[in-house]
Structures are given as C-alpha cells and as structure tokens.
Amino acid sequence: MRICVVGASGKLGRYMVRQLLEAGDEVAAVCRPESVKKLDEFAGRIEVFPGKTNDRAVLRRALHGCDGALVVLVPWGVQQYASGTAQAALDYAEPGARLIFSCGWHITMDGRDRYAWHFTLLLKLVGAIAKMLRLVELDDQVEACRRVFASDRRWTVVRGSDLEEGPSQGLPVWSEHVGDPILASNKTRRVDFAGFMVAALRDDSLLNKAPAIVSCQSPSALATKQI
C-alpha cells in the first residue's frame, strides 16, 4: 500500500515510517520544512512533502493516490492546528482510504470514559497554562476528533496512554473506555504505539472506533489476562 504519514518527523512519526517500510509499503511523508533533515535516514525510500501538517495544499498533494494515512494530531499553538490537520485529511484522502489518527486519553467519543480526579485536574491546569502562553490548545484536539467522529470516512482514533521509550514489548492491548481495569498501568512504549497505528490500517475490526491502548506487558494488562 501507499501510506501518507502526517507528522512524519516526530518520534512517533519516524517509528511509523520505519515500520511501514519494513512491511514493504510506500510512504508519503508530511513534515515541517525545518524538520525534513530528521528524515535523512529514509532518503531515497520515501517521498517527502515539506509543510505544516495543517497546510491544506500540502496535504492534498501528499494524500493523492494513498490507500491510507497515519495522522498525528498535534495541538500546537492557538491556530486550530490539530483540527486543521484532521479536516484536511478528511477532505482530501482518497475515497475508501483508511485513516488512522493519534491522540491522548483525554479524548472521549461517547462520554463513557472514567478519569481519575487528578488526571482531570492536571489536564485543566496544563491546558489553561499552555493556552495562556499560546503553546498548545488541547481543546483543538478535542475539536479535531469531534470532526473525525462525525465523518463518514473509514477512520480509527488511537488514544495513547503515557508514552515511554524502549524496545518493543509487542502490540498493545486496548479497551473502548479509559477507566477499564486493563488500562490502569497507563504506559505504552512509543514504538508499540506506532505499531498499533500501522496495524490498524489493515484491521477493519477497529473501524469507527477509538481504542485506548496500553502495553501488553504492563501489570494491568497481564493481570487482566490472568482473570
């Protein structure tokens, strides 16, 4: 398949590019012009489209002819960056393309997620401070996902727990709602988050779902398997 990676120069993006190439897929990579050098290890093996990920003209070119897209929804600044990225992907992806979006656990699709009080408090404090400093707009990531949920596209929104570096522990396990016991450990290796995104391209059981993931080797995942 030919897959567009939107946000390819970040840590998660580079893991996804690497895994796609290992699987034999073609890659169209979108990243900010100042970050193109981060993709030097893939020189000659991918097609790079320099530009902001919410640049509609850039995404239109990059998504042309792609069977799917892996889209990192980053809420940078206060310029509707994440929602602009999501909308461009929804508007310009090929008919029938498989669209996989990444975000955090704070996104809820049906309002049935259960958050610890300290998580909710920290989210409000960090969100307010970041917005005041014009660094990050978490509400815009919420808006981006709202648009995805409302679309008739073949989408999946992967909600990541706290991420850490390290060797792969295997494909993460998932649940439909934050607060479910299997997710309690709240840790996933970043390389495995990427692996789940890539695997979702070919997993139609995840169509129109928002799986919340956690490492398959985390204590909560292992404990749930033993029950």
Side-chain angles (χ1 to χ4, degrees), residues 78 125-137:
V78 289
L125 289 174
V126 171
I129 293 171
K131 187 173 182 179
M132 181 178 66
L133 297 175
R134 304 184 68 81
L135 297 175
V136 171
E137 190 173 17

Side-chain angles (χ1 to χ4, degrees), residues 109-182:
M109 184 171 73
D110 59 11
R112 294 168 58 192
D113 297 275
R114 292 173 287 115
Y115 301 105
W117 68 267
H118 50 81
F119 176 90
T120 303
L121 179 60
L122 181 63
L123 187 68
K124 288 181 178 179
L125 289 174
V126 171
I129 293 171
K131 187 173 182 179
M132 181 178 66
L133 297 175
R134 304 184 68 81
L135 297 175
V136 171
E137 190 173 17
L138 294 179
D139 287 346
D140 186 52
Q141 196 176 72
V142 175
E143 170 62 18
C145 291
R146 185 198 66 78
R147 297 185 188 190
V148 174
F149 296 152
S151 77
D152 59 1
R153 288 292 197 162
R154 302 179 70 244
W155 56 263
T156 298
V157 173
V158 182
R159 300 183 291 158
S161 57
D162 288 348
L163 300 180
E164 61 182 5
E165 293 297 335
S168 173
Q169 295 181 320
L171 201 65
V173 295
W174 66 277
S175 186
E176 291 194 53
H177 297 107
V178 175
D180 290 347
I182 196 171

Side-chain angles (χ1 to χ4, degrees), residues 1 7 31 70 86 100 107 122-123 142 158 160 162 175 189 196 204:
M1 295 196 297
C31 72
L70 302 175
I100 316 297
I107 298 297
L122 181 63
L123 187 68
V142 175
V158 182
D162 288 348
S175 186
R189 296 282 169 89
F196 194 95
D204 284 350

Side-chain angles (χ1 to χ4, degrees), residues 68-107:
L70 302 175
V71 184
V72 180
L73 292 176
V74 179
W76 292 128
V78 289
Q79 52 182 314
Q80 292 74 58
Y81 201 84
S83 59
T85 299
Q87 192 62 59
L90 295 170
D91 289 345
Y92 295 130
E94 298 285 357
R98 194 73 171 85
L99 305 180
I100 316 297
F101 299 86
S102 74
C103 67
W105 271 5
H106 66 289
I107 298 297

